[in-house]
Amino acid sequence: MPELPEVETIARQLRRRIRGKTIASVRVCWPRTVAGNRAEFNRRLRGMTVARVSRRGKYIGVEGADGTFFTIHLRMTGKLVKDLDSADRRHQRLCFTFADGTKLHFVDARKFGRLRLWPCRGESCPGLGPEPLRSETVRRVLKKLRTNRPVKSVLLDQTVLAGIGNIYADEALFAAGIHPLTPAASLSDAQQWRLASVIPQVLRQAIRRRGTTLRNYRTVADESGENREHLNVYGRAGEPCFVCGAPIGKIRISGRSSHNCPDCQKMRSVTSDK
DNA sequence: AACAGCACCTGTAGGC
DNA sequence: TGCCTACAGGTGCTGT
């Protein structure tokens, strides 16, 4: 479900909601929700006072005053809510009760979401690429790419850049006028600049709109994200491109659906490369 | 080493 | 209505 803008939105709300609170108890309803040693997870979290809530890629980080650190990954359908409605009840996977009596429920229909305890904050999420929120960072990453995998697949690779998912990869490639199948190492300088400039724009714009709700995603305050109405290609297969009117295409790239405008996103001709 | 494919899960939408 | 299939915003393991 959620990509960087959605996770950022949730992390911000969570920060306001739980910072300074002490975890009184943790109830795990679906054991596999907790990755690693569950007993230790329980032991370390009980009594922990939340000092900070952060985000790294699509991970939410929660750090205790004593340095205890765990992450929450929502994967496809995970969400954090303070109250359970009747529909949520059957999908509740874990529940925090705080010392003040308030609760935070982890609800996840597909059971893919994971919470994990780490030795410390600095050792969490190994292998994640840099945050894609500054164009200079993205440009630096794109410039050193030597792979000929499709640029779309590379944008989804969390070890390259952390936080971009299927929606924003498609939207960024459209905004940059780049065909998703373009081999990453063959991007021209101009294409690299364009992509590096639009990725932070697309993500920041979505954060301002509290993310994109397609079906499941809700903020901690149970709001929908407003970015869906601003999508140019994702989920618009067959509908006319807002720029040129051509029908938006949908193809499969390494097992995932990819949306693009066949006219606005042309592949550079191979002969003009060398 | 790099990459494709499938596993993990359940819900929903569409075809018949 | 109901059955069946395909697909869904993510990642991680396995096999080639």
Side-chain angles (χ1 to χ4, degrees):
Chain A
M1 153 185 80
E3 309 181 24
L4 189 152
E6 292 75 35
V7 179
E8 176 65 26
T9 302
I10 289 167
R12 287 178 184 180
Q13 296 186 351
L14 201 57
R15 191 171 299 139
R16 285 202 302 274
R17 217 167 273 276
I18 69 171
R19 193 164 52 183
K21 291 190 182 184
T22 299
I23 299 173
S25 66
V26 183
R27 188 161 60 90
V28 181
C29 314
W30 176 255
R32 299 184 66 176
T33 296
V34 176
N37 186 325
R38 220 175 330 134
E40 194 190 358
F41 180 87
N42 271 281
R43 187 163 49 75
R44 294 288 304 277
L45 264 62
R46 207 175 309 128
M48 162 184 155
T49 298
V50 177
R52 52 197 293 185
V53 177
S54 52
R55 180 197 57 76
R56 177 82 176 89
K58 298 172 196 170
Y59 291 83
I60 296 164
V62 182
E63 188 178 7
D66 63 352
T68 295
F69 184 81
F70 70 95
T71 52
I72 304 170
H73 198 302
L74 306 165
R75 293 281 183 99
M76 299 286 268
T77 52
K79 59 178 183 175
L80 295 162
V81 294
K82 62 176 170 42
D83 303 304
L84 288 176
D85 63 28
S86 54
D88 289 339
R89 211 167 299 271
R90 53 190 298 222
H91 298 136
Q92 181 181 29
R93 307 300 176 208
L94 187 142
C95 174
F96 295 105
T97 302
F98 296 96
D100 65 357
T102 58
K103 289 178 185 292
L104 181 69
H105 305 274
F106 179 67
V107 173
D108 184 19
R110 286 178 74 177
K111 300 178 174 173
F112 288 168
R114 292 289 179 269
L115 284 77
R116 176 188 287 271
L117 182 71
W118 297 90
C120 66
R121 194 160 75 96
E123 289 175 41
S124 66
C125 314
L128 277 192
E131 292 288 315
L133 289 174
R134 293 179 44 231
S135 59
E136 309 87 82
T137 311
V138 179
R139 162 73 181 159
R140 177 167 45 78
V141 166
L142 295 178
K143 198 178 166 68
K144 68 176 190 214
L145 287 176
R146 294 294 173 266
T147 178
N148 278 316
R149 293 159 67 199
V151 61
K152 166 70 186 280
S153 307
V154 172
L155 292 182
L156 293 179
D157 184 341
Q158 303 298 297
T159 69
V160 174
L161 288 166
I164 300 171
N166 213 19
I167 297 177
Y168 300 107
D170 282 359
E171 293 299 313
L173 288 169
F174 172 79
I178 296 170
H179 194 283
L181 285 172
T182 309
S186 80
L187 291 174
S188 67
D189 266 17
Q191 288 178 313
Q192 288 182 19
W193 282 113
R194 286 209 302 278
L195 194 51
S197 116
V198 301
I199 286 175
Q201 282 173 26
V202 165
L203 295 172
R204 288 180 188 279
Q205 185 77 269
I207 291 171
R208 270 179 240 124
R209 297 179 180 132
R210 299 202 315 285
T212 303
T213 296
L214 298 177
R215 48 206 309 174
N216 298 295
Y217 165 73
R218 288 285 184 287
T219 69
V220 185
D222 200 33
E223 308 149 312
S224 301
E226 293 156 10
N227 198 56
R228 183 177 191 171
E229 301 135 54
H230 300 271
L231 298 180
N232 287 301
V233 288
Y234 189 89
R236 298 197 61 245
E239 294 172 38
C241 171
F242 293 129
V243 174
C244 74
I248 298 300
K250 182 171 174 177
I251 56 177
R252 216 147 245 286
I253 301 178
S254 54
R256 322 238 5 227
S257 64
S258 192
H259 310 72
N260 68 289
C261 170
D263 280 4
C264 298
Q265 297 169 265
K266 294 251 192 251
M267 195 100 70
R268 277 211 315 165
S269 89
V270 178
T271 50
S272 70
D273 251 349
K274 295 227 169 93

